[in-house]
Amino acid sequence: MEPIDRRGFLFAAGAATATLASAPASAQTHNAGAIFLSTWDFGVEANRRAGEIYAGGGSLLDAVEKGINLVEDDPNVTSVGYGGLPNSEGEVELDAGIMDGATHRAGSVCNLHKIKNPISVARLVMEKTRHTTMAGDGALRFAIEMGFTPQQLLTPKSLEEWLRWRNASKHETFWIDARNHDTIGMLGVDGRGGVVAGCSTSGLACKIPGRVADSPLVGCGYYADAAGAAAATGNGDVMANYCTSVFIVRRIAQGAHPQEACDDLMRLMARSAPNLRDDMYCVIAIDRHGEIGAASMNSKQPLQYALWRNEGGTLHTAPALLG
Ligand code: GLY
C-alpha cells in the first residue's frame, strides 16, 4: 500500500471536494451522468481525469484509459506503470487490461517492458487486432508498431528499493507485501448502456520474470458486460483462481446488488480456503445503473476506493468481510 501519510488525503483539484467516509458502498445513490469507481487513493485523481475527459466529449473508453494513464505516469506510485517496482531481475514488467461491456470486447497485455502506458496498448490490442491478449516481446513489438516509445521505467526510488531487496543478506523470495498489490482498477458507466472496466499494474514486486496474475486476464482482474463491471486488487496469484470479476458481474446479471455480489465473492474465498483470511483481496463493482459495491477480505488490509459522481470525487473505505 501507499505510505500511511498518503491515506486520507483531500484532493484539491477541480471544484470537487474529496471526503473520507466509511459508509457501506450500498448506501450510495446514482444519477444519469458518467460515474467512475476506482481502487485506492490514487483513484481520486484518476477519476477526476476520467470525468474531465468524458465531460470534454471523450468516450467512456477514452475516460477510463486516460484516467488510468494518470496513475501509470506517476513516478510516486510504485505499483503501476512508470516507477512500478520491478521483477527479480530488476526489470519493470507491466500488465493491463480493458473491456468494453457494450461490445463484449477486451484487450490486454502482460509482461510488457519499457512502455509506461500498458492500458493504452491493451486498448489498441482490443481495437486494432483480432486478438485479446498479447504478452512479452510480442506485446512490446506491437506497442512500438503502434507508435509507443520504449523507455527506462525504473526510477531512482524503485531502483533503490529493488537493490535493497536484492542485496539483503536474507531476502524473502517472491515475498508478499500488501504495498505491491495496489493495482489501479477503474470502472465507468454512462447511464446510457456504456460500461467499461480497466486495470493496470506492475504486479508483485520481485516476482519471477514472466509471472502473470489476475490483472491482465479478462474475467479475473477486470470484466465488463451489459449488466455491469468489476475489478480486483490484491494478491492476484490467488484471486485469478476465483475469476473474481466475472463472478461478480454474473451475480449482478442475476439480480444481485453490486455490494452483495462483492460480499458473495469474499465469502466464497474465505469458505473455500480459510488460510486466505489474512491476505489482501479486494474488489470493486458497479452495475449499469451506477449502483456500486466494494469489499475487502479483512479490516487489517482495508481497500480504499474512489468514487466520481455528480462531477465530484469522494474517497471511501470498503467494508471488510472479517474484522
Ligand atoms: N493483483 C495484481 C497482482 O497481483 O499482480
Side-chain angles (χ1 to χ4, degrees):
M1 283 177 210
E2 293 299 296
I4 197 77
D5 60 357
R6 291 195 63 208
R7 295 282 185 227
F9 78 105
L10 302 182
F11 79 97
T17 303
T19 55
L20 282 175
S22 56
S26 55
Q28 308 296 324
T29 55
H30 64 83
N31 72 350
I35 298 169
F36 299 99
L37 178 66
S38 296
T39 54
W40 305 116
D41 51 6
F42 45 58
V44 174
E45 283 298 312
N47 286 350
R48 187 184 58 74
R49 167 68 65 84
E52 273 172 12
I53 297 289
Y54 189 79
S59 67
L60 206 57
L61 276 167
D62 294 334
V64 169
E65 177 195 349
K66 304 296 177 206
I68 289 176
N69 283 162
L70 185 127
V71 182
E72 292 175 330
D73 290 346
D74 186 344
N76 295 314
V77 177
T78 58
S79 55
V80 179
Y82 178 62
L85 291 173
N87 65 21
S88 60
E89 293 176 356
E91 182 83 42
V92 180
E93 194 163 277
L94 303 176
D95 301 327
I98 192 163
M99 186 162 188
D100 179 358
T103 60
H104 214 87
R105 281 281 291 138
S108 70
V109 288
C110 38
N111 313 127
L112 181 65
H113 297 176
K114 298 184 172 60
I115 304 292
K116 72 181 168 71
N117 295 124
I119 193 73
S120 300
V121 184
R123 182 174 174 187
L124 288 170
V125 172
M126 177 174 77
E127 293 183 339
K128 302 280 187 208
T129 79
R130 296 185 187 181
H131 306 319
T132 295
T133 304
M134 299 191 67
D137 281 351
L140 175 59
R141 285 206 300 274
F142 171 76
I144 292 169
E145 208 172 322
M146 290 291 111
F148 292 82
T149 306
Q151 66 177 90
Q152 174 57 264
L153 299 182
L154 280 174
T155 57
K157 182 178 169 185
S158 60
L159 177 62
E160 189 187 316
E161 284 218 28
W162 177 74
L163 285 171
R164 196 179 311 124
W165 173 82
R166 198 196 58 173
N167 296 334
S169 56
K170 187 171 170 252
H171 61 234
E172 194 176 352
T173 312
F174 320 122
W175 45 289
I176 291 173
D177 182 322
R179 74 186 157 158
N180 300 316
H181 287 301
D182 286 3
T183 303
I184 170 78
M186 181 185 286
L187 313 176
V189 298
D190 62 8
R192 296 177 297 163
V195 183
V196 170
C199 70
S200 182
T201 187
S202 52
L204 184 65
C206 308
K207 60 192 174 186
I208 300 173
R211 174 244 195 202
V212 175
D214 60 340
S215 297
L217 302 180
V218 63
C220 297
Y222 68 104
Y223 188 76
D225 71 12
T233 176
N235 183 341
D237 290 303
V238 171
M239 293 187 98
N241 301 335
Y242 290 86
C243 299
T244 50
S245 294
V246 74
F247 174 97
I248 290 167
V249 176
R250 288 293 87 216
R251 287 287 295 119
I252 292 172
Q254 289 160 0
H257 187 279
Q259 186 61 48
E260 190 186 347
C262 291
D263 293 343
D264 283 352
L265 186 270
M266 289 299 147
R267 278 193 286 267
L268 168 73
M269 292 181 71
R271 251 198 333 266
S272 70
N275 63 313
L276 301 187
R277 291 164 178 241
D278 290 329
D279 205 354
M280 196 175 86
Y281 307 104
C282 308
V283 287
I284 56 173
I286 194 165
D287 70 15
R288 66 194 170 93
H289 305 295
E291 291 290 325
I292 67 161
S296 63
M297 179 61 78
N298 64 66
S299 58
K300 291 187 293 266
Q301 302 180 89
L303 169 68
Q304 285 193 301
Y305 67 92
L307 178 64
W308 178 264
R309 196 196 285 281
N310 298 325
E311 302 190 341
T314 48
L315 183 65
H316 305 260
T317 301
L321 178 68
L322 307 166

